[in-house]
Amino acid sequence: MVISSTIVDSDQSVHYTFASRYVRTSLPRFKMPDEPIPKDAAYQIINDELMLDGNPRLNLASFVTTWMEPECDKLIMSSLNKNYVDMDVYPVTTELQNRCVNMIAHLFHAPMGEDETAVGVGTVGSSEAIMLAGLAFKRKWQAKRKSQGKTCDNPNIVTGSNVQVCWEKFARYFEVQLKEVKVKEGYYVMDPAKAVEMVDENTICVAAILGSTMNGEFEDVKLLNDLLMKKNKETGWETPIHVDAASGGFVAPFLYPDLEWDFRLPLVKSINVSGHKYGLVYAGVGWVVWRTKDDLPDELVFHINYLGSDQPTFTLNFSKGSSQVIAQYYQFIRLGFEGYKDVMKNCHENMMVLKEGLENTGRFSIISKDIGVPLLAFSLKDSSKYTVFSISESLRRFGWIVPAYTMPPDAQHISVLRVVIREDFSHSLADRLIADIVKVVHELDGSAGSTAHTSGTHSGETVEHGSRDVTQGIAKYWRRFLNHGKKTSSVC
């Protein structure tokens, strides 16, 4: 005899997600819901919303890595639940971080023996790394001033106006004056001579950029070092250099090994680099290394023992994931020097493909340099009919995210588009992007011609319309991409 029973559906079960009540109401935006929902419904609803995000692979605004090998993805997934700061519980993960620091220090020619331990730390990105390096410089400067019986109330850092926004954050958060060397049309990086002129007895360091956010160009750290050594000798000061190699630190050693920008220069005391940029790791890892132990004041290193053992720590945060550190070590041993060199050469070659294609259109002026971070910054030769902001908006129809922005002071009248060439940007994608840019330009040409025809030929009206179009385009773009900051905010 078969006994059957009827199971009454619970509100918790979903037999067909898109026929359920969970997709018939708006998602909570301000308050946590009172009741739970089934896991498959929660997944489907959130996944559907995320479809409206851009495609990371086509996000050419970002320097941040968007592809890694499946084997590394497995390592990342298996270590998501490891809190890196718990060093006593995860000693192998701590050892992997130390190995990464040593490898980076050797790559940057730190003055250390083959088996000597380097001085450095992993961070969540170059922004944190810069904060830590800046704090070290400030404390070293304060200690010296106090030992000389002098005041230490007005510390400053000398940089170019092209620095990333994290430098402005450091200055504001830690009460350090930011003295900026203005860029100019045709010269979009810090002028070393002008930077040294700005140095005074209150300068805690000069920050040089190896790979400007604006156009990828390397600043001349060698010339800066030579000029600053001369000034230090004349004044008796000991003003050091920090190199912000967030973008270029994993490019220059492989493509330009003879370029002197790192610890080969005596005044370079610390360097930061982003593992999640050309270190080829997903977002969430940066590194800062010091020349010697003496360059990192002991008072900044904390020792805690409530996790089971004495653990030194020098970070701005405490808990963080282990995945990115493990992924960085994977890339180092997986690729090795020659592997990284091949990746960077490929990025540079694809950059040149894109450059040639854009030059062949006859519409653009190339602002970036061939030697630098593999990116292409370019401006319109004629902006009287439409702007780079219009091109940026139009390219989104094809899935491309190509940022448009104005250059820093005193070159803010120059507006450019920028394409960052990452590891996963292939030759065929470069060809496709060129074709889509040409298509957009032709469409805008036609639109501008049609507008001019229908609005008459009065020169005053044409000028007024063009000016209004430029203003509206700039305003619309910056409202979308900026949060009222004065600097172009790129990912670190």
Side-chain angles (χ1 to χ4, degrees), residues 158-163 179-199 206-209 212 217-225 227-228 409-410:
V158 176
T159 72
S161 62
N162 58 310
V163 293
K179 299 173 71 173
E180 294 183 338
V181 179
K182 305 300 182 185
V183 302
K184 61 183 180 180
E185 184 173 353
Y187 195 90
Y188 302 107
V189 293
M190 180 179 70
D191 184 329
K194 292 181 179 179
V196 173
E197 288 177 8
M198 286 188 171
V199 170
V206 180
I209 313 299
S212 171
E217 188 174 350
F218 293 161
E219 293 182 344
D220 194 339
V221 188
K222 176 68 165 61
L223 178 58
L224 175 64
N225 177 86
L227 294 175
L228 193 53
D410 287 330

Side-chain angles (χ1 to χ4, degrees), residues 161-424:
S161 62
N162 58 310
V163 293
Q164 214 264 359
V165 69
C166 59
W167 283 98
E168 186 176 356
K169 289 181 179 179
F170 169 78
R172 191 176 302 178
Y173 295 165
F174 296 103
E175 299 180 318
V176 177
Q177 180 190 4
L178 197 66
K179 299 173 71 173
E180 294 183 338
V181 179
K182 305 300 182 185
V183 302
K184 61 183 180 180
E185 184 173 353
Y187 195 90
Y188 302 107
V189 293
M190 180 179 70
D191 184 329
K194 292 181 179 179
V196 173
E197 288 177 8
M198 286 188 171
V199 170
D200 58 34
E201 63 179 352
N202 293 322
T203 302
I204 65 175
C205 78
V206 180
I209 313 299
L210 192 78
S212 171
T213 298
M214 303 298 170
N215 69 342
E217 188 174 350
F218 293 161
E219 293 182 344
D220 194 339
V221 188
K222 176 68 165 61
L223 178 58
L224 175 64
N225 177 86
D226 294 345
L227 294 175
L228 193 53
M229 285 188 69
K230 182 179 179 181
K231 185 162 188 173
N232 283 346
K233 184 176 181 180
E234 293 171 351
T235 60
W237 302 335
E238 297 178 348
T239 308
I241 295 172
H242 174 84
V243 178
D244 179 358
S247 299
F250 283 122
V251 175
F254 306 106
L255 292 185
Y256 316 105
D258 295 329
L259 181 68
E260 294 184 52
W261 62 272
D262 52 16
F263 292 123
R264 285 171 288 186
L265 304 175
L267 291 183
V268 174
K269 302 299 182 182
S270 56
I271 301 171
N272 69 276
V273 64
S274 291
H276 58 219
K277 292 183 180 177
Y278 289 100
L280 308 180
V281 177
Y282 292 137
V285 63
W287 304 93
V288 57
V289 289
W290 284 269
R291 184 183 192 87
T292 67
K293 186 177 180 180
D294 292 338
D295 296 308
L296 176 59
D298 289 336
E299 62 191 276
L300 293 177
V301 180
F302 290 83
H303 293 265
I304 57 100
N305 63 7
Y306 47 79
L307 292 178
S309 67
D310 179 69
Q311 298 175 10
T313 175
F314 180 38
T315 57
L316 293 182
N317 65 316
F318 194 61
S319 295
K320 68 175 182 179
S322 299
S323 299
Q324 269 65 18
V325 170
I326 294 169
Q328 184 73 84
Y329 186 66
Y330 172 90
Q331 292 290 54
F332 283 170
I333 66 169
R334 165 74 175 96
L335 294 173
F337 189 93
E338 289 301 320
Y340 268 92
K341 183 177 179 179
D342 287 342
V343 170
M344 300 310 149
K345 285 177 63 177
N346 184 61
C347 290
H348 184 268
E349 290 171 2
N350 287 330
M351 178 194 76
M352 298 306 292
V353 169
L354 185 60
K355 177 185 177 182
E356 182 180 359
L358 292 176
E359 286 179 330
N360 288 340
T361 68
R363 301 298 190 93
F364 300 101
S365 298
I366 306 300
I367 301 298
S368 52
K369 307 293 185 181
D370 290 348
I371 296 178
V373 175
L375 65 78
L376 208 65
F378 51 101
S379 62
L380 274 169
K381 290 182 177 180
D382 180 7
S383 298
S384 62
K385 297 178 181 179
Y386 49 86
T387 68
V388 291
F389 299 93
S390 304
I391 295 175
S392 176
E393 287 290 326
S394 297
L395 283 172
R396 283 178 168 267
R397 295 188 356 251
F398 301 95
W400 301 108
I401 301 171
V402 179
Y405 53 88
T406 55
M407 297 299 279
D410 287 330
Q412 57 266 52
H413 59 287
I414 306 294
S415 299
V416 301
L417 293 155
R418 186 192 68 194
V419 175
V420 177
I421 309 299
R422 298 190 303 272
E423 176 188 17
D424 54 355

